[in-house]
Amino acid sequence: MSAPAMGSSKISSHGDAAAQKKKRGPGALGTAYLVIYNVVMTAGWLVIAVGLVRAYLARGSYHGLYYSIEKPLKFFQTGALLEILHCAMGIVPSSVVLTGFQVMSRVFLTWAVTHSVREVQSEDSVLLFVTAWTVTEIIRYSFYTFSLLNHLPYLIKWARYTFFMVLYPMGVTGELLTIYAALPYVQKTGLYSVTLPNKYNFSFDYHSFLILTMVSYIPLFPQLYFHMLRQRKKVLGHVEDYSKVE
């Protein structure tokens, strides 16, 4: 997931804010830290991309490529949790709640679905959202890095606000299909479910929770997608209009 689980395009995070003029910046030390963090994250997702390509060339098939990048995917996706801390500490002006929701939704899909239900790891849907996430994050963290350095190439800016039109639906499709594929295994094993009676008088059905998660995409996906379209028009619209005049 990435908002919800819509990992393919995080709407608002520290890089977008860094690209805009703001009243109060993170300071020299904070900026240096954020640059290092974003460079490391860019490099990490590049490692994942290279791993996918190398595994595909070695096997001659895209089936089961998840296993070739499982460890770095878990590491760098979990590393995004620091973005929540950045917001909480005030070194970036983004919303803690929104950033937390977006990051946690992806971490949830990474660990609570794909990692926990091993039977889905060979599903093509996993490769679908992993590919979407990988391309998105390489662009996103590059965008943040150059924005913090005040040297943002137009190509990266254009890619940031254009590629999501394909990557976002692609990622969401992969996420939904993966959760759907996990349902029978979760129901059969009772994974993460808590049944009554117990001393806490509490019950939880993880199978139903996953279904509710899938349903949540219906109202949230269109809102987030059209928000990004509006952002694209706001950021790139005047440039494209000028090009047409020329």
Side-chain angles (χ1 to χ4, degrees):
M1 298 181 305
S2 64
M6 296 174 185
S8 20
S9 180
K10 293 183 181 175
I11 308 300
S12 173
S13 191
H14 57 280
D16 290 323
Q20 301 173 358
K21 204 175 204 178
K22 31 186 198 302
K23 293 181 181 178
R24 183 172 60 87
L29 187 60
T31 298
Y33 162 75
L34 288 175
V35 168
I36 293 172
Y37 171 80
N38 285 296
V39 167
V40 170
M41 294 299 281
T42 302
W45 285 96
L46 280 170
V47 167
I48 294 171
V50 171
L52 286 171
V53 173
R54 290 182 62 183
Y56 173 76
L57 293 176
R59 299 181 184 185
S61 171
Y62 60 85
H63 296 294
L65 292 184
Y66 169 80
Y67 302 105
S68 65
I69 49 85
E70 180 179 4
K71 289 182 179 179
L73 175 68
K74 291 175 179 176
F75 181 83
F76 288 103
Q77 185 54 68
T78 305
L81 290 170
L82 287 173
E83 295 183 33
I84 305 174
L85 183 62
H86 298 162
C87 297
M89 292 176 61
I91 60 175
V92 295
S94 300
S95 165
V96 177
V97 174
L98 180 58
T99 301
F101 175 72
Q102 293 170 336
V103 171
M104 289 304 298
S105 63
R106 275 206 185 182
V107 172
F108 171 82
L109 189 66
T110 300
W111 288 100
V113 179
T114 311
H115 169 78
S116 300
V117 187
R118 302 194 67 84
E119 290 85 354
V120 305
Q121 293 176 2
S122 59
E123 294 285 333
D124 294 341
S125 59
V126 173
L127 180 61
L128 196 62
F129 76 72
V130 167
T131 301
W133 287 8
T134 301
V135 177
T136 296
E137 296 297 65
I138 291 172
I139 295 172
R140 189 170 73 92
Y141 286 114
S142 297
F143 176 91
Y144 294 168
T145 301
F146 286 108
S147 295
L148 287 163
L149 296 173
N150 295 316
H151 291 288
L152 178 63
Y154 178 76
L155 180 61
I156 293 179
K157 182 179 180 180
W158 178 86
R160 164 71 173 158
Y161 291 100
T162 301
F163 283 19
F164 80 90
M165 290 189 285
V166 174
L167 295 174
Y168 201 4
M170 176 180 168
V172 167
T173 300
E175 292 157 12
L176 284 172
L177 290 175
T178 299
I179 297 174
Y180 180 77
L183 290 177
Y185 301 103
V186 171
Q187 186 174 40
K188 180 179 179 181
T189 62
L191 179 70
Y192 298 142
S193 295
V194 179
T195 59
L196 291 172
N198 59 68
K199 64 179 181 179
Y200 300 107
N201 196 32
F202 168 80
S203 65
F204 173 72
D205 186 4
Y206 188 53
H207 180 265
S208 297
F209 177 78
L210 289 179
I211 292 175
L212 289 175
T213 298
M214 295 176 68
V215 172
S216 71
Y217 278 71
I218 297 174
L220 291 175
F221 170 72
Q223 293 182 46
L224 297 174
Y225 189 76
F226 286 114
H227 171 77
M228 284 300 291
L229 286 176
R230 289 192 295 271
Q231 287 295 102
R232 183 181 191 278
K233 184 176 181 181
K234 179 180 177 181
V235 175
L236 301 180
H238 67 285
V239 177
E240 294 181 351
D241 290 341
Y242 179 78
S243 299
K244 289 179 182 178
V245 172
E246 290 294 304

